[in-house]
Amino acid sequence: MRSTIYRRVASYGIAIAATVVALLLSWWLQPFLECTIGAFFYLAVMVTTLYGGFRPGMVTIVLSTLAINYFFMPPFDQFTAADPADIVQLGVFALVSFVLNLLNSNLQHSKATIERLNPQLIQDSHDRLQMTLAAAQMGLWDWNLVTGEIVWSPEHEQLFGLVLGSFDGRYETFEARLHPDDRARNSEAIQQALQNRTPYQHEYRVVWTDGSVHWLEGRGQVAYDEAGQAVRMSGTMMNIDQRKQSEMALTRSEQQLRAIFDAEPECVKLVSADGVLEQMNPAGLAMIEADRLEQVRGQNVCPLIAPAHQQAFLAFIRQVAEGKPGTLEFEMIGFRGTRCWLESHAVPLHFPGEATTQVLAITRDITEQKRAAAEIKQLNADLEQRVAERTFALQQSNLLLNSFFDAASSAAIGLCIHDHDLRFLQINATLAAINGQPVERHIGRTVAELLPQLAPIVEPLFHRVLATRQPILNLEVSSEVPSQPGLMRHWLASYFPILDETNAVRAIGVIVVEISDRKQAEASQARLAAIVASSQDAIISKTLDGIIVSWNASAEKLFGYSAAEAIGQPITLIIPVDQLEVETQFLHWIRQGESIQRYETVRRRKDGTLVEISLTLSPVKDAQGTIVGASKIARDITEQRTLDRMKNEFISIVSHELRTPLTAIRGSLGLILRGVYDKKPDKKHRMIEIAAEQSDRLVRLVNDILDLQRLESGSMKLALQACDAAALMQQAADAMRSYAEEHQVHLSVTPLPVSVWAAPDAIIQILTNLLSNAIKFSDAGSNIDLAIAVMESGKQGNSSVDVVGRKPPSAALSSPRPHPQAVFSIQDQGRGIPAEKLETVFERFQQVDASDSRDKGGTGLGLAICRQIMEQHGGRIWVESVLGKGSTFYFTLPLVAEDVGAKAKL
């Protein structure tokens, strides 16, 4: 409080003293300063204002005015003035002194405001950078290769599991955190980047203090001095745990699929709707007595089916291909002449984008089951014949029946006979074991007494046979095992009447065949079918001589060759010349029983273009375990590689664009913090202005990047509506009017009363962006014209080019008649754009001159955002330019229905 009072009193004392000094100097130098008698008094006013402010300055002005009137204007030593010119001179002095006092006071106030806001600007820039790094799970690092010192951002320390601020800047501390298996590889990656002058990029694991392991990816760029020596490496660090977990999960899934396919004991085959075999597993090849898949691939399977069943088989395949799954029993003749009965369960298999449907079938051998059924049928016929002829005695019948029971037991077939009361008269050991009771316990007891859980199922069947005297064959029955609760088992049961000589039902026979294994196999096959159906990889098989023997639909799509064109051809059909030696080495490894996992290479398509693939090879063995060929799984990674390259290029450009303003901000604030300009307030003020300008540029750059990302990803959906084109043009022109006046550029608008279908805010953004660019690159005194015209689609300039260098949408090309469109144009008289830049200016961070972003303040993303907005409108944007004369930007929007109709009437 005391110091404030002292400073206030001192400021008024300085006002008086400055006036006295000015009076004495003016008095002393009066002979030499007759025409500028107020010069020293002006200095007194300025000194007083700079030290004390506005009020002491006013005191100095009053005292100085009185002193000049009293001592230097006639009549002297009086406060009057005889000459009007002296009065005017005295008034001018007072006015100029007042202006000087006011300006100096405002300057002092502005300096105090800047000093108060400077820490806030620094803190805001730091907070934005921290939020960006935290959102991206990314840290920054800088390594001085001369001193060995390393600087980490706080996010970098968190990625390494360190307490914030605990990193000591030593490489040894960094290396100690690396997983022991990754340290040597990381050192090699660093040395390779230094020696080859290439960017550093490496993935490695770090071990936190709690023992957890995390995957990180480091990227860096090396800086060199004038002698070409590496002096600094700076870069980023990013967490990639999620990506690594996805890669490992995918590898496990592939291994599980391969294990399921190889271990499946039933025949798995894939056929076309007309019965052509396309794929079969080893179990199926053994079933048809084929040595290798090449014998049957691409062949119709009908020759392997008994003639009596061929038509039924083809009808069954066509039915399944039409989307109706089913089961079929048929007889097959193997390559070695063996005949067997098969049961095939088939489902349709349709891949998106393909016109045809394939059939996936799971087949099992039921020869024994059919043989047993045939024997039972023959036995029943024999029994009926013997009863009809009355040639056999009851003892002989019992003996034959016992023999049949024994035979059924040997064939693992359950057999029993019931009377009219459903009591067991006879049962073999196989069925007794299925029921979980000994044979002796069954005789004389009913189903309800022994197997109450089955009684509700089988009793209606018995009564039906008794009533109709007709058999019930191959009925599926499922039940829980009495001795093992929770375990379900499945059987095929047949019920048939045993008739006496009067054709009356004397007893009921039951034949039971367990099919639990088949049910489990069907479930396994269904899982396998689902897995196979979801695969999008090309699968190719070849012999050890390199001849293609299998070629799936994905391979056709990937390489362009149909299966008919590829099968039987050497694998060199798709291998470039420079990869033949590697293929020879692969075949050598396959002969030794080795597999190759995820080898990345290139292959040649039918049209001659190359495709990047990830290749997995494994040996193919026959039934005896002999290696007879190789199986290839090829995955197209062209798009993945393209995306990786685009991502790397985008990150490189963005990091460069972000680093430029950050470097300027850091440099300016660093000079201020070190006190370099403490005694140079003008320089210090300029440094603060630079930091503020670059902060604004950084904010604009981040906002533009986010807008472009939302537009490209589709997360920013534009709401289209009918808009007045003239109103949109006028709003954009009004917004840019002051900016044009600042650059002394005349802005004119030529509107039309038409309505367009658009998102108004987005169109205003395009117009203001294009107008801003036109103003920035126009000379003072030049004109900029904003106009609109209505034209038929395809008639304006090079409007047949969509966006830049792209053809218009096919819908527009196939339209039965031209559709009117509104064509907006922004014409300037600037320096123009070279012909080779007319397309690239619409890409990210592309400008006509590399210095434009620095001199003109742009981010290099405005035109890219305009292009994305126009793509969402279904419109087009392009530029025409003549060097030295100016440029004209065009974009189109569709007219609303009313304006289209009005135009048609005109």
Side-chain angles (χ1 to χ4, degrees), residues 260-269 280-290 293 332 342 362-365 525 528 621-623:
I260 291 172
F261 189 82
D262 291 341
E264 179 56 49
E266 300 291 355
C267 167
V268 181
K269 63 178 178 289
M280 179 176 283
N281 69 342
L285 294 175
M287 184 178 291
I288 65 175
E289 300 178 334
L293 185 60
M332 184 205 71
L342 303 179
I362 310 298
T363 304
R364 73 183 188 97
D365 190 336
Q525 291 160 2
L528 180 60
K621 300 179 181 180
D622 60 14

Side-chain angles (χ1 to χ4, degrees), residues 55 82 87 106 112 141 344 440 450 455 501 571 745 831 867:
R55 291 183 180 180
I87 297 175
N106 289 337
W141 55 272
S344 185
E440 296 78 11
L450 287 177
E501 62 277 8
I571 195 65
V745 174
R831 66 190 185 193
R867 180 175 68 180

Side-chain angles (χ1 to χ4, degrees), residues 141-145 189-190 193-194 196-202 218-224 230-237 648 651-653 655-656 659:
W141 55 272
D142 182 76
W143 183 12
N144 191 323
L145 299 176
I190 294 174
L194 294 174
N196 300 334
R197 291 177 175 264
T198 57
Y200 163 74
Q201 181 179 352
H202 188 62
R219 296 172 179 261
Q221 191 71 34
V222 183
Y224 302 86
V231 296
R232 182 176 300 277
M233 182 183 287
S234 302
T236 61
M237 182 66 57
N648 294 337
I651 291 175
S652 175
I653 294 174
S655 63
H656 175 268
R659 190 182 294 113

Side-chain angles (χ1 to χ4, degrees), residues 35-47:
C35 297
T36 57
I37 196 68
F40 291 109
F41 292 100
Y42 284 133
L43 292 175
V45 172
M46 294 175 65
V47 170

Side-chain angles (χ1 to χ4, degrees), residues 592-626:
Q592 295 179 349
E594 299 182 18
S595 298
I596 295 92
Q597 297 293 327
R598 300 183 67 185
Y599 177 78
E600 294 185 2
T601 183
V602 295
R603 289 294 182 263
R604 184 176 59 244
R605 291 190 176 103
K606 183 178 181 179
D607 59 7
T609 60
L610 297 180
V611 58
E612 297 183 62
I613 65 170
S614 175
L615 191 62
T616 299
L617 288 90
S618 57
V620 175
K621 300 179 181 180
D622 60 14
Q624 290 72 37
T626 304

Side-chain angles (χ1 to χ4, degrees), residues 407-718:
S409 296
S410 300
I413 298 174
L415 189 63
C416 69
I417 297 176
H418 294 268
D419 62 14
H420 284 218
D421 296 326
L422 307 185
R423 299 182 183 277
F424 286 94
L425 299 178
Q426 194 167 358
I427 185 171
N428 69 349
T430 299
L431 184 55
I434 291 175
N435 294 338
Q437 301 284 348
V439 173
E440 296 78 11
R441 185 172 177 80
H442 286 76
I443 306 303
R445 296 178 181 270
T446 64
V447 175
E449 292 173 347
L450 287 177
L451 305 168
Q453 72 276 15
L454 286 179
I457 300 175
V458 300
E459 285 182 351
L461 300 175
F462 283 124
H463 295 307
R464 177 180 166 185
V465 173
L466 288 171
T468 63
R469 294 184 298 177
Q470 297 295 322
I472 301 174
L473 304 177
N474 296 329
L475 181 69
E476 288 194 15
V477 179
S478 300
S479 176
E480 185 179 82
V481 178
S483 59
Q484 295 177 291
L487 177 63
M488 294 296 295
R489 295 174 69 177
H490 311 274
W491 299 273
L492 277 180
S494 297
Y495 303 84
F496 57 92
I498 301 176
L499 305 177
D500 58 16
E501 62 277 8
T502 62
N503 208 27
V505 178
R506 188 181 67 183
I508 299 174
V510 179
I511 302 172
V512 177
V513 179
E514 186 168 3
I515 58 170
S516 297
D517 292 341
R518 190 191 77 180
K519 285 292 186 178
Q520 293 176 359
E522 289 175 354
S524 175
Q525 291 160 2
R527 290 192 296 269
L528 180 60
I531 295 173
V532 172
S534 64
S535 174
Q536 299 296 320
D537 295 333
I539 301 176
I540 305 169
S541 296
K542 63 180 180 180
T543 66
L544 292 178
D545 296 329
I547 302 301
I548 299 173
V549 294
S550 69
W551 188 270
N552 72 344
S554 294
E556 292 181 341
K557 180 179 179 182
L558 179 59
F559 297 112
Y561 292 98
S562 66
E565 293 174 315
I567 294 174
Q569 298 294 323
I571 195 65
T572 53
L573 181 71
I574 60 172
I575 299 178
V577 176
D578 57 355
Q579 295 291 321
L580 293 178
E581 186 176 348
V582 178
E583 182 68 16
T584 302
Q585 183 63 42
F586 284 167
L587 287 174
H588 173 70
W589 288 336
I590 289 296
R591 289 189 179 94
Q592 295 179 349
E594 299 182 18
S595 298
I596 295 92
Q597 297 293 327
R598 300 183 67 185
Y599 177 78
E600 294 185 2
T601 183
V602 295
R603 289 294 182 263
R604 184 176 59 244
R605 291 190 176 103
K606 183 178 181 179
D607 59 7
T609 60
L610 297 180
V611 58
E612 297 183 62
I613 65 170
S614 175
L615 191 62
T616 299
L617 288 90
S618 57
V620 175
K621 300 179 181 180
D622 60 14
Q624 290 72 37
T626 304
I627 297 175
V628 295
S631 174
K632 289 187 175 185
I633 300 177
R635 174 170 298 174
D636 185 356
I637 59 173
T638 303
E639 183 177 354
Q640 175 185 342
R641 289 290 173 267
T642 301
L643 291 176
D644 289 343
R645 286 191 291 269
M646 291 175 62
K647 179 183 70 175
N648 294 337
E649 179 182 354
F650 178 73
I651 291 175
S652 175
I653 294 174
V654 170
S655 63
H656 175 268
E657 295 296 330
L658 291 175
R659 190 182 294 113
T660 300
L662 286 174
T663 301
I665 295 170
R666 181 177 180 182
S668 300
L669 299 182
L671 292 172
I672 295 173
L673 290 176
R674 290 196 296 271
V676 175
Y677 296 120
D678 285 351
K679 296 182 180 180
K680 299 178 180 179
D682 292 341
K683 291 285 187 179
K684 185 175 183 180
H685 182 261
R686 180 53 187 158
M687 290 298 101
I688 294 174
E689 287 181 343
I690 291 173
E693 291 170 356
Q694 294 301 320
S695 296
D696 293 339
R697 180 186 174 192
L698 185 61
V699 171
R700 290 197 305 272
L701 181 60
V702 171
N703 289 336
D704 284 350
I705 292 173
L706 293 176
D707 287 345
L708 187 58
Q709 160 63 20
R710 287 193 290 266
L711 285 167
E712 290 181 343
S713 65
S715 59
M716 180 185 291
K717 297 297 184 182
L718 302 180

